[in-house]
Amino acid sequence: MSELVTGEAVALELRPARLPSRALAVLLDLVAAMAVYVVVTIALVASTASLDQAAQTALSIASFVLVLVGVPIAVETLSHGRSLGKMACGLRVVRDDGGPIRFRHALVRGLIGVIEILMTFGIVACIASFVSARGRRLGDVFAGTLVVRERIPVTRTGFVPPPPPWLAGRFSQLDLSAVPDGLWLAVRQYLTRMQQLDPQVGWSMAERLASDLAERTGAPVPQGVPPAAYLAAVVQERQAREARRAFGGGSGSGTAAATAAATAATATDAAAGNPHASAGPASASAAVPEPSASFPAAATGAPVVPAASDRDAGAGPEDRPAASREVPGGERPGTGFVPPA
């Protein structure tokens, strides 16, 4: 994987083409060019039979340069870096910043390709590709281009389970700038495959990854938070920050922060046994959803809040909220309303 940075400071992840695929593309291009050259040569011999030897030689050299040099340059320019062989192999020539090539890029690649491919039978091009970190030949180096893969194999990505609801917004102040991409990849791979691991092995891997992540962020793992739930919550926070950075942090971010605060407040009231925790609006009462299948309440330490019917069924009259207590009819205060006769 190669990371290219565009002029707008946008990082592009492109896959440089490897030497075997590039060699196959060049071979297909040479076969097609030689076939065209043979046809053109036969046509020239038949049409210039009356000319002298010098004129026939000049026309032969001109046709060679036109077919083997000019035509590939024109094809790469018009197709934006896709010749016949590259289209067959799923490759494309792009600029160093990831943009499409122009005539000057194709011209430099074609002229230097005559020396390092045609005159040396590709030996110089192979050596340069082996030495280059991104597999570039001399023509790519001088032209400022790169051959990348367009057709990337489709891989089935695993589902990253969400963290428990009681961890929503808990790591919003965490500094994630020092966490390397390799550690993020390892955490993501663990979260997508932790259901397939042995419980003991998975727990030890989660502890090690959580320790590495806490060391990079400079903040220890909170007490009572399982390592797997901690990893899922930090990954979700990183994804939320990337989404805000990509789409802008307008009023939607304030709404999300308010929702997270309401969730935390409701969870705190429920854990403290506040009987009015479920008497709020619909959004507040639904702020503590059921624990997810990936992180059960028993494994993550999430507060389990009984339903309202269960609380009222097991509590006495003195333990129930004032609004739900039955008051005898004789003791009820008058309303001052007299029904009409």
Side-chain angles (χ1 to χ4, degrees), residues 322-341:
S324 63
R325 296 177 185 173
E326 293 292 337
V327 181
E331 299 178 2
R332 294 177 183 174
T335 60
F337 174 75
V338 179

Side-chain angles (χ1 to χ4, degrees), residues 102-179:
R102 299 181 179 178
F103 173 74
R104 60 185 180 89
H105 303 96
L107 179 62
V108 174
R109 296 185 77 256
L111 294 179
I112 299 181
V114 173
I115 300 175
E116 62 175 342
I117 295 179
L118 297 180
M119 294 185 177
T120 61
F121 300 99
I123 297 177
V124 176
C126 291
I127 295 176
S129 297
F130 275 121
V131 173
S132 176
R134 294 189 290 179
R136 302 197 301 175
R137 62 179 179 90
L138 295 180
D140 294 317
V141 174
F142 285 101
T145 57
L146 175 68
V147 180
V148 298
R149 296 170 56 188
E150 280 193 319
R151 293 198 296 265
I152 300 175
V154 178
T155 57
R156 185 178 180 181
T157 58
F159 172 72
V160 178
W166 52 277
L167 285 179
R170 187 167 180 177
F171 304 103
S172 58
Q173 304 298 328
L174 206 62
D175 183 14
L176 305 179
S177 58
V179 182

Side-chain angles (χ1 to χ4, degrees), residues 22-41:
R22 295 190 61 179
L24 180 59
V26 171
L27 181 61
L28 293 176
D29 290 336
L30 288 178
V31 170
M34 291 302 299
V36 174
Y37 177 69
V38 170
V39 174
V40 171
T41 301

Side-chain angles (χ1 to χ4, degrees), residues 168-169 240 244 250-263:
R244 289 195 297 267
S251 59
S253 60
T255 304
T259 304
T263 303

Side-chain angles (χ1 to χ4, degrees), residues 69-95:
V69 180
V71 171
I73 293 175
V75 170
E76 282 195 355
T77 303
L78 297 176
S79 63
H80 300 290
R82 299 183 66 190
S83 62
L84 182 62
K86 291 181 177 61
M87 284 190 290
C89 297
L91 308 180
R92 180 188 288 270
V93 183
V94 297
R95 300 196 308 261

